[in-house]
Amino acid sequence: VSNGPYIMSTTANGNDSKKFKGDIRGPGVPSRVIHIRKLPNDITETEVISLGLPFGDVTNLLMLKAKNQAFLEMNSEEAAQNMVGYYSTVMPIIRHHPVYVQFSNHKELKTDNSPNQERAQAALRALSTSHVDTTVAAPSSVLRVVVENLVYPVSLDALCQIFSKFGTVLRIIVFTKNSQFQALLQYPDGASAQAAKLSLDGQNIYNGCCTLRISFSKLTSLNVKYNNEKSRDFTRPDLPSGDSQPTMEHPAMATAFSKTPPRTHARTHARTHALSFPYPGLTCPALPGGLASLSLPGATRLGFPPLPAGVCVLLISNLNPEVGVYGDVMRVKILFNKKENALVQMSDSTQAQLAMSHLSGQQLHGKSLRITLSKHTSVQLPREGHEDQGLTKDYSNSPLHRFKKPGSKNYSNIFPPSATLHLSNIPPSVVEDDLKMLFSSSGATVKAFKFFQKDHKMALIQMGSVEEAIESLIEFHNHDLGENHHLRVSFSKSSI
């Protein structure tokens, strides 16, 4: 396989796939061409293209269905870098299958005229905004967006940032209706609306929550009267801010909508892109996480804006979980009047952010954890002579801290909860059956086990569910295996 253009042919497209070896794994040098692996057998061209659309136009596609692989060519190297950067943090799932995204060694893809390429090219023309004929009638240029499972607040600016990847957002209104957070969003044309709906419908803005449900609105245009946090017209920077508009339940909200005909062609296609509009208060700030352009460091790619440096106390509802897997727990205080709630102080704001991002919404002992930031800046120890029935514990000198050493390799092994656990510090005398029996002793199911080939001090163990894996981590981390070896347990990014 050369680094030059790869010529697509019937051979490469799967009829004689043994002649094509896929991509040679390179050092991750950026390229416009993305190599996608481990695709499900029934994958469609549309689903593969939709992986790239949030980051820019997709200019070419090669499907290798017999090898469960595909090559996707983006319109720019920057778009490809954003795509690989995002999916290195949030693994894409298609039809319940995790798929793997990396840079290809190919610098571009060239298409031949073989019949096998016709379906891929047709899908590209249908989905890519640069190939859509904007004169063709679409159901509407206005989308109705419902955000389900609203664990974290979603702002008008956040939605604007996400949807502006598919075209110029002209107008947007957010409101609450039937206790659901919703938005109406207008593009200049139906093609942009169609591309946004195809790519974003069903996606999560943040990890595991804030799911977008998108449909075409019956409205043909939005009539916005105020520019504020509830509504915005990017073509009218002169509009007053007014008071925040009422929710849709209030009759007065109806005045924000109008079934007037769309504005003139020149007006709707005016260059009023939300990210470059010069009017203060009418720009969309960059949104870390979700579907933004994620060339961001560490925890900010997990779907949250960075927390202020002093914010490191979390309020955890429904249980007092072990969150040391995402940072060093300094102090824990179980609330006296609400024993199912606890304050947990991490050593810094980044660790608090990691714990909140990965653990909020997870099931533990049959309950769903709720984690929010606390108003407290630290957990106070009881004053001398004042006992609090052992509800407050100080762990600052605990020997179990995973991240005490600066630059610890543990920082690079932080992953969201998964059914597969990584075990380390296993003594030579402990065999597979010993560990299976240990992890089964709590009533959990052990589905699979595998020692690392080169190092039997480490192993992977797959539990029956993510919830069982969380409970097993709490139960068996630091378990004494003898010979002065205490078992270390963490979540794995791999599966067996």
Side-chain angles (χ1 to χ4, degrees), residues 40 165 233 296 312 353 471 474:
K165 289 185 174 296
D233 185 338
L296 298 167
C312 56
Q353 192 171 43
E471 292 174 8
I474 295 169

Side-chain angles (χ1 to χ4, degrees), residues 129-428:
T129 54
S130 61
H131 295 294
V132 174
D133 183 356
T134 56
T135 62
V136 175
S140 175
S141 61
V142 179
L143 294 177
R144 176 175 173 265
V145 181
V146 177
V147 184
E148 295 179 350
N149 191 18
L150 191 72
V151 176
Y152 306 110
V154 175
S155 67
L156 177 149
D157 289 319
L159 289 174
C160 166
Q161 176 73 15
I162 293 167
F163 280 84
S164 63
K165 289 185 174 296
F166 299 90
T168 301
V169 176
L170 297 182
R171 300 170 192 88
I172 181 171
I173 299 167
V174 298
F175 55 93
T176 302
K177 185 178 182 181
N178 301 330
S179 301
Q180 284 185 314
F181 179 78
Q182 303 190 27
L184 288 168
L185 185 141
Q186 183 182 351
Y187 284 109
D189 52 68
S192 299
Q194 182 113 11
K197 181 180 183 299
L198 278 167
S199 190
L200 296 179
D201 190 26
Q203 297 274 9
N204 294 331
I205 298 177
Y206 299 120
N207 294 344
C209 65
C210 300
T211 307
L212 295 170
R213 301 294 178 201
I214 303 171
S215 58
F216 288 105
S217 170
K218 293 178 182 177
L219 300 169
T220 56
S221 182
L222 300 180
N223 182 22
V224 174
K225 293 189 172 183
Y226 302 105
N227 284 329
N228 54 34
E229 75 277 6
K230 295 287 186 185
S231 63
R232 210 73 62 83
D233 185 338
F234 295 103
T235 69
R236 293 285 310 279
D238 56 313
L239 289 177
S241 62
D243 295 320
S244 290
Q245 293 168 7
T247 64
M248 272 297 283
E249 264 103 15
H250 197 289
M253 189 60 188
T255 60
F257 303 91
S258 167
K259 292 190 177 180
T260 53
R263 304 197 177 217
T264 63
H265 185 278
R267 182 66 174 274
T268 54
H269 289 276
R271 293 295 174 190
T272 54
H273 196 287
L275 294 179
S276 58
F277 211 85
Y279 186 73
L282 288 189
T283 56
C284 292
L287 174 73
L291 294 149
S293 169
L294 289 163
S295 52
L296 298 167
T300 53
R301 297 204 301 204
L302 300 170
F304 295 88
L307 301 181
V311 178
C312 56
V313 179
L314 302 171
L315 172 62
I316 302 183
S317 308
N318 275 354
L319 200 58
N320 171 23
E322 166 62 69
V323 293
V325 69
Y326 296 119
D328 295 333
V329 175
M330 296 290 105
R331 291 174 182 172
V332 175
K333 182 183 185 71
I334 299 172
L335 302 190
F336 181 78
N337 292 326
K338 292 185 176 181
K339 297 288 197 296
E340 72 278 9
N341 292 359
L343 294 174
V344 176
Q345 181 179 337
M346 309 297 289
S347 65
D348 61 42
S349 59
T350 301
Q351 294 180 2
Q353 192 171 43
L354 285 165
M356 183 167 67
S357 165
H358 284 316
L359 291 175
S360 193
Q362 294 292 341
Q363 293 290 314
L364 187 50
H365 300 306
K367 291 187 175 182
S368 180
L369 294 178
R370 287 200 310 273
I371 304 180
T372 57
L373 293 176
S374 168
K375 63 183 178 183
H376 300 285
T377 55
S378 65
V379 171
Q380 298 297 320
L381 293 174
R383 284 178 294 173
E384 207 168 322
H386 289 72
E387 291 302 319
D388 70 346
Q389 301 175 5
L391 296 177
T392 306
K393 299 272 187 181
D394 183 23
Y395 296 103
S396 52
N397 294 316
S398 168
L400 298 181
H401 289 318
R402 299 172 189 248
F403 306 97
K404 211 165 189 176
K405 293 178 184 173
S408 164
K409 65 180 181 182
N410 291 333
Y411 280 108
S412 60
N413 291 316
I414 293 174
F415 303 109
S418 64
T420 305
L421 297 171
H422 179 278
L423 312 180
S424 60
N425 205 30
I426 303 169

